């Protein structure tokens, strides 16, 4: 990426290095933008032409020198199978495999735009970045994002996000220091599959459950059948 390859009429910003092994370059706004979701939606619609994926960031300095993990997304099923322990999912006596996709739901890009608007409206992430990545799931690798580093590598996170993109129409819209904001256009319609998906969420981000739910297995799967925005947080 260089200045000539950027979309025209961007807000004030600069090209920065995404340090570490990825060696990619990233454009980043100089400050928080009150209309960051409008910019995100416009740049997201143009991503196939530019090869640049927009992501909302909490802070303008959110580039990183190093994060654990490799440069190729891992297989999500293998990650969950290796991470599973009997105490992880009390309702499952053994690894149940990946949750089955529901098949039909909302339009993923429209759902992503709604999630981006919500992230900005709630003042969770108002900085804007453009990342050389074919899909949002690959942004953690491209940015060397370390927010989940106490639990999983960026290659593992990207592999999990790719799988959720394919099965549930998930789209990455934003990152904080330890937060991931996703849209989910095609939630599970079967409660059993929602329980399996809840288990995947738990294995990817147990911190979120330990800090937000007293009895997550009784409530969270039902929520997953209706909500179209997912948030994860690592301590």
């Amino acid at each position: 990426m260089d200045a000539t390859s950027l979309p025209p009429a961007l807000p004030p910003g600069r090209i920065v290095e995404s340090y570490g092994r990825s060696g990619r370059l990233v454009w980043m706004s100089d400050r928080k933008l009150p209309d960051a979701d409008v910019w995100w939606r416009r740049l997201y619609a143009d991503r196939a032409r530019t090869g640049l994926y927009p992501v909302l960031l909490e802070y303008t300095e959110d580039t990183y020198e190093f994060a654990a993990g490799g440069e190729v997304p891992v297989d999500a099923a293998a990650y969950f199978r290796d991470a599973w322990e009997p105490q992880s999912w009390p309702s499952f006596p053994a690894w149940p495999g990946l949750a089955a996709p529901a098949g039909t739901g909302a339009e993923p890009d429209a759902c992503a735009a709604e999630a981006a608007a919500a992230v900005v409206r709630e003042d969770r992430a108002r900085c804007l970045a453009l990342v050389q990545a074919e899909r949002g799931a690959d942004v953690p690798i491209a940015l060397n994002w370390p927010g989940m580093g106490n639990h999983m590598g960026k290659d593992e996170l990207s592999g999990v996000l790719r799988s959720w993109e394919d099965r549930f129409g998930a789209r990455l819209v934003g990152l904080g220091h330890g937060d991931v904001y996703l849209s989910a256009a095609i939630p599970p319609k079967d409660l059993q599959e929602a329980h399996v998906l809840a288990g995947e969420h738990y294995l990817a981000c147990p911190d979120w459950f330990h800090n937000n739910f007293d009895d997550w297995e009784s409530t969270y799967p039902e929520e997953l059948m209706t909500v179209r925005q997912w948030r994860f947080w690592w301590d």
Side-chain angles (χ1 to χ4, degrees):
M1 181 199 300
D2 57 34
T4 62
S5 64
L6 289 172
L10 288 172
R14 77 279 187 202
I15 294 176
V16 298
E17 282 191 73
S18 178
Y19 299 104
R21 287 176 291 170
S22 83
R24 304 197 195 193
L25 296 177
V26 176
W27 177 91
M28 191 171 296
S29 65
D30 287 338
R31 58 183 181 272
K32 292 184 177 181
L33 304 172
D35 55 350
D37 55 321
V38 177
W39 283 105
W40 186 94
R41 186 168 61 248
R42 182 184 307 168
L43 295 166
Y44 180 83
D46 205 27
R47 69 193 186 283
R49 183 187 67 82
T50 65
L52 303 174
Y53 191 95
V55 60
L56 298 166
L57 296 180
E58 187 175 1
Y59 301 104
T60 57
E61 65 269 23
D62 278 357
T63 55
Y64 310 96
E65 294 188 5
F66 178 78
E71 300 305 312
V72 179
V74 305
D75 177 72
Y79 171 78
F80 287 131
R81 184 174 59 249
D82 292 343
W84 181 83
E85 296 177 351
Q87 62 268 30
S88 298
W89 297 345
S91 61
F92 295 110
W95 156 251
L98 295 175
T104 59
E107 203 283 315
D109 291 347
C111 191
E114 293 175 3
V119 168
V120 172
R121 183 174 61 250
E122 296 164 5
D123 200 25
R124 297 186 181 276
R126 287 179 175 268
C127 301
L128 182 68
L130 286 173
V131 183
Q132 286 180 311
E134 292 183 1
R135 51 198 294 183
D138 296 343
V139 166
I141 286 178
L143 283 179
N144 289 306
W145 190 71
M148 68 299 145
N150 67 334
H151 180 69
M152 65 198 306
K154 62 182 185 292
D155 54 340
E156 293 168 331
L157 176 60
S158 285
V160 167
L161 294 182
R162 278 191 172 200
S163 183
W164 289 341
E165 283 181 352
D166 295 339
R167 286 181 290 143
F168 302 107
R171 299 292 185 267
L172 176 71
V173 299
L175 296 169
H177 274 340
D179 300 87
V180 168
Y181 303 104
L182 304 171
S183 62
I186 312 173
K189 295 178 173 62
D190 177 86
L191 186 58
Q192 172 68 15
E193 296 305 323
H195 272 276
V196 179
L197 177 59
E200 293 182 24
H201 284 198
Y202 178 88
L203 288 176
C205 188
D207 292 351
W208 173 248
F209 293 89
H210 294 163
N211 283 276
N212 289 279
F213 299 95
D214 293 327
D215 186 17
W216 68 270
E217 275 210 302
S218 298
T219 59
Y220 192 67
E222 289 188 0
E223 292 180 13
L224 284 179
M225 297 176 70
T226 58
V227 299
R228 299 193 186 278
Q229 296 173 28
W230 297 347
R231 179 190 177 194
F232 299 95
W233 171 84
W234 291 268
D235 191 2

